[in-house]
Amino acid sequence: MHEPGSVESVDRQWMSAALELARQAASEDETPVGALIVYKGQVIGRGYNLREHHQDVTLHAEMTAIRQACAELGSWRLDDCDLYVTLEPCVMCAGAIIQARVRRLVFAAADPKAGAAGSITDIFSLPHNHRVDVSQGVMATESSELIREFFRRLRKENRAAGSRAVRREQAKEARPVQPASDSRG
């Protein structure tokens, strides 16, 4: 067991909160990824995937959390902030994390199809003017199982509906699209 107050214990605490955001995404038929940004022990940005809901490719959990944190601090520089995310960031999100000067990235599960922190490429190892401290594997089993179960359910629904396109059309008709500014978690 991890000592209370240890880095491992704190990481698990924040990752648990990110997993709750991922569950919220899944409940809205979004890929279950949750992210939060912590500054001086306080959450200042949070997000979960909303790409399908808003049909906006940039609405990944990390991007929403970064936008909120920047607004909260009144600066694009998040150099004293730590980002916790349930899935290894993609290239877009990895670039934003570096550009925002995030101090530390902690992610749960590796993403063998799109991961940009070591799985298919490692954006963080390239020579940038800012280095992000990257930690992985915190609550990876829980995150992986949530994602696996989500896609298992989605495949079953797609087969029942006849195709993914039919299911997407049904989803669009079932819920009105709201502006992205209303997407805070």
Side-chain angles (χ1 to χ4, degrees):
M1 203 74 208
H2 303 292
E3 299 265 337
S6 69
V7 171
E8 295 85 5
S9 176
V10 170
D11 285 352
R12 287 184 65 79
Q13 170 194 337
W14 294 124
M15 192 60 73
S16 289
L19 277 164
E20 283 305 311
L21 292 167
R23 288 182 188 96
Q24 178 65 35
S27 77
E28 295 181 26
D29 292 329
E30 292 283 350
T31 301
V33 179
L36 52 86
I37 296 180
V38 177
Y39 174 70
K40 296 184 179 180
Q42 300 293 315
V43 175
I44 61 165
R46 58 178 44 98
Y48 55 85
N49 278 12
L50 287 167
R51 182 170 70 170
E52 293 294 332
H53 191 78
H54 294 289
Q55 292 299 297
D56 182 342
V57 71
T58 68
L59 287 179
H60 287 198
E62 302 94 307
M63 301 297 281
T64 301
I66 287 169
R67 284 185 186 111
Q68 285 185 14
C70 290
E72 180 69 23
L73 293 180
S75 174
W76 60 268
R77 290 179 181 88
L78 302 177
D79 47 6
D80 290 325
C81 297
D82 301 332
L83 189 151
Y84 293 83
V85 62
T86 58
L87 185 66
E88 180 180 1
C90 69
V91 171
M92 172 182 69
C93 294
I97 290 164
I98 291 166
Q99 290 298 314
R101 311 294 195 263
V102 169
R103 174 179 59 192
R104 185 168 177 247
L105 164 67
V106 180
F107 69 89
D111 184 350
K113 293 185 178 181
S119 288
I120 64 165
T121 190
D122 189 355
I123 299 297
F124 299 100
S125 69
L126 297 174
H128 297 282
N129 62 344
H130 175 73
R131 285 275 187 225
V132 177
D133 179 27
V134 179
S135 298
Q136 68 181 57
V138 176
M139 301 184 77
T141 302
E142 294 90 331
S143 180
S144 294
E145 185 52 37
L146 180 62
I147 291 167
R148 210 173 3 263
E149 184 53 40
F150 173 79
F151 283 109
R152 190 176 297 133
R153 178 180 60 81
L154 203 60
R155 284 188 297 274
K156 184 177 178 182
E157 288 174 6
N158 286 341
R159 281 191 299 272
S163 77
R164 183 180 338 172
V166 170
R167 186 188 56 77
R168 284 188 178 153
E169 279 305 312
Q170 290 170 343
K172 282 182 190 176
E173 292 168 5
R175 60 179 180 246
V177 174
Q178 298 172 353
S181 61
D182 292 343
S183 64
R184 291 186 181 185

